[in-house]
Amino acid sequence: MTDWILAQLPLYGVWLVGLATFLSCLALPIPSSLTMIAAGAFVGSGDLALAPVAGAAFVGALLGDQLGYWVGRRAAHLLPAPGTKRAGLVAAALDSLAKNGAVAVFLTRWLFSALGPWVNLAAGASGYGPLRFTLADIAGEAVWVAVYVGLGITFGANLQAAADLAGNALGLMATGVVALLLGLWLIRALRRPATGD
């Protein structure tokens, strides 16, 4: 599928970029990051213009995220009933989203993007505010589009190098964020008063 999408990019340009980001935000296995890198390469070579490419990627991603969020809002009644065993896990996840929602939405747009579609659904189902969701979504998608289109412009001659660099850099950042969160959790756990027998 990746080869087919990349072959269609010169023909359909910004429309394909927008469609790829839209569908990937709905959890469909579309290589949207690689599509944006390739579109950035076309921008770098002068075959496509930056503003339409970035705009299409950004708008497609926002529309996909918003659709996922509103599907979650409509599907909230499918959550387990309060007081059941499964409701405890769901309640904990929704509580975490309520406390750290903006950070979760922002980071799952670009750093942990595979989780993005599921965070969209969870945010909608939990009743997370649409304005807060949208603001965090806009900020996160702006980073995602800027990074990937920028990589394509910078490394347009070697798409594989750009894709590898993106994967390695994001993997390193994700590892750093996880290590930081675990460190904060450990410090918090050590500061709690011991409840001895």
Side-chain angles (χ1 to χ4, degrees):
M1 175 183 249
T2 300
D3 292 336
W4 182 83
I5 288 177
L6 294 179
Q8 302 308 308
L9 194 55
L11 301 172
Y12 300 106
V14 297
W15 295 105
L16 185 59
V17 172
L19 182 63
T21 58
F22 174 76
L23 293 175
S24 73
C25 291
L26 297 174
L28 294 173
I30 305 294
S32 55
S33 296
L34 187 57
T35 302
M36 284 192 291
I37 290 171
F42 282 113
V43 168
S45 68
D47 294 320
L48 292 174
L50 177 59
V53 165
F58 185 70
V59 169
L62 287 181
L63 290 175
D65 290 339
Q66 292 295 317
L67 179 59
Y69 174 84
W70 288 103
V71 166
R73 292 280 286 219
R74 303 291 276 163
H77 67 281
L78 299 175
L79 293 175
T84 63
K85 185 176 182 180
R86 288 187 59 208
L89 296 173
V90 171
L94 296 178
D95 184 49
S96 176
L97 184 61
K99 289 179 184 171
N100 306 309
V103 173
V105 172
F106 175 73
L107 291 177
T108 57
R109 304 306 94 174
W110 60 280
L111 188 58
F112 303 108
S113 57
L115 299 175
W118 312 113
V119 170
N120 297 343
L121 291 170
S126 71
Y128 189 73
L131 180 60
R132 291 187 301 162
F133 176 82
T134 300
L135 292 175
D137 186 32
I138 288 170
E141 293 300 4
V143 171
W144 188 46
V145 170
V147 166
Y148 282 93
V149 172
L151 281 170
I153 293 169
T154 305
F155 296 99
N158 190 344
L159 290 181
Q160 187 59 46
D164 291 344
L165 178 64
N168 292 337
L170 291 176
L172 181 62
M173 283 190 281
T175 302
V177 168
V178 169
L180 178 65
L181 293 175
L182 287 174
L184 291 172
W185 175 80
L186 183 59
I187 290 169
R188 215 182 226 177
L190 291 173
R191 288 185 179 170
R192 283 189 206 134
T195 55
D197 293 319

